[in-house]
Amino acid sequence: MGTIMIDFVIDATESASGNLPAVNLFCDDLIVKGYRKLSPFHDVRYGITAFYGKEDAIKSYRFKENLFTGDRYRFNRTFDTIEICAGSADGKDHILGGMMHSSRKLKEADGDLKVMLVFSDSYMERVNFEKIGVLSAQSVYLYLSDQEELGEVRMNLFWGIPMVNKKHKVDHRLMPHRCSLADIFDSKGRETQIDRIMKDILELVEQ
């Protein structure tokens, strides 16, 4: 039985606070489906990383003494304690910092497969990805606002972020999945996204 570590990286700024119930529902639905699709054969554990404005600290939430848990109810109780703080004045919250923090957390975790899911109504301008380094995840999903919602900004499409495969080697065939934050708000879109994630994880496990 292998171990799968899934970290939810969540924008917990005041502007994004209205999205948290939908994010929580998405996480809970994924955990429930994970019990059916993954847990009979794998030990699946979930974590929470919250990020804020660029000047604010990033927080990893603990489940008692652990950074990851397989307990759905403990996860949801901890999710309810996420602290809301102000974001950056320019509207560009610390997505990159949240991803870097989660990457370090996943790197230190003892798991065979590592997955990162990011949720934010903010955006990143085009930057050099040298700052982020190599993401310690085999699969990354970015649920962000669409271009038309943000207007005329130079959004980063997140191409070219280096990621590692299960052998901990940089694999340039891997790249983040750019998704729409809007998909988490309706049941059909949420189910489609979760089914896709489950399919991707099962394919990665079998490699």
Side-chain angles (χ1 to χ4, degrees):
M1 178 182 286
T3 303
I4 300 170
M5 316 300 283
I6 299 177
D7 197 30
F8 298 103
V9 183
I10 299 165
D11 183 340
T13 59
E14 290 176 350
S15 68
S17 61
N19 299 330
L20 288 182
V23 173
N24 193 186
L25 185 57
F26 187 99
C27 297
D28 187 62
D29 284 356
L30 190 145
I31 292 170
V32 170
K33 185 150 283 191
Y35 282 147
R36 297 201 300 267
K37 298 279 189 179
L38 304 173
S39 292
F41 315 102
H42 305 281
D43 179 17
V44 188
R45 298 184 176 274
Y46 305 90
I48 298 172
T49 298
F51 66 90
Y52 305 96
K54 295 188 290 291
E55 301 81 16
D56 301 306
I58 296 159
K59 185 171 182 179
S60 286
Y61 282 80
R62 290 185 175 271
F63 310 92
K64 292 190 175 179
E65 299 301 317
N66 302 311
L67 287 171
F68 293 89
T69 183
D71 186 322
R72 174 191 177 194
Y73 300 101
R74 183 170 291 166
F75 178 92
N76 285 320
R77 286 197 300 270
T78 301
F79 193 104
D80 288 340
T81 69
I82 290 177
E83 182 181 2
I84 308 300
C85 293
S88 296
D90 59 7
K92 293 177 284 188
D93 297 320
H94 210 359
I95 299 172
L96 183 65
M99 293 172 69
M100 292 167 65
H101 187 95
S102 176
S103 180
R104 290 191 294 269
K105 179 174 158 183
L106 287 168
K107 184 177 182 179
E108 294 170 3
D110 186 14
D112 301 294
L113 181 68
K114 297 170 183 181
V115 179
M116 183 190 301
L117 290 92
V118 182
F119 302 88
S120 179
D121 66 347
S122 185
Y123 70 100
M124 276 177 55
E125 287 188 316
R126 294 175 187 174
V127 295
N128 188 327
F129 284 123
E130 289 180 2
K131 288 184 178 180
I132 201 168
V134 178
L135 286 182
S136 301
Q138 288 74 62
S139 200
V140 176
Y141 301 85
L142 300 158
Y143 289 90
L144 306 175
S145 293
D146 296 319
Q147 179 76 61
E148 55 267 25
E149 296 175 64
L150 295 170
E152 296 298 322
V153 296
R154 298 179 68 248
M155 279 181 63
N156 202 310
L157 300 179
F158 291 90
W159 294 336
I161 298 179
M163 297 166 57
V164 297
N165 57 29
K166 291 199 298 182
K167 296 180 180 179
H168 307 293
K169 302 292 185 183
V170 173
D171 189 335
H172 294 291
R173 295 170 298 177
L174 301 174
M175 64 174 57
H177 302 279
R178 176 70 168 81
C179 311
S180 173
L181 184 65
D183 285 337
I184 76 171
F185 290 98
D186 70 276
S187 58
K188 186 174 181 181
R190 191 164 56 245
E191 183 176 3
T192 299
Q193 290 297 315
I194 290 172
D195 284 344
R196 170 196 181 187
I197 293 168
M198 289 294 124
K199 181 176 179 289
D200 289 350
I201 290 175
L202 288 168
E203 288 177 356
L204 285 167
V205 165
E206 291 170 3
Q207 289 178 2

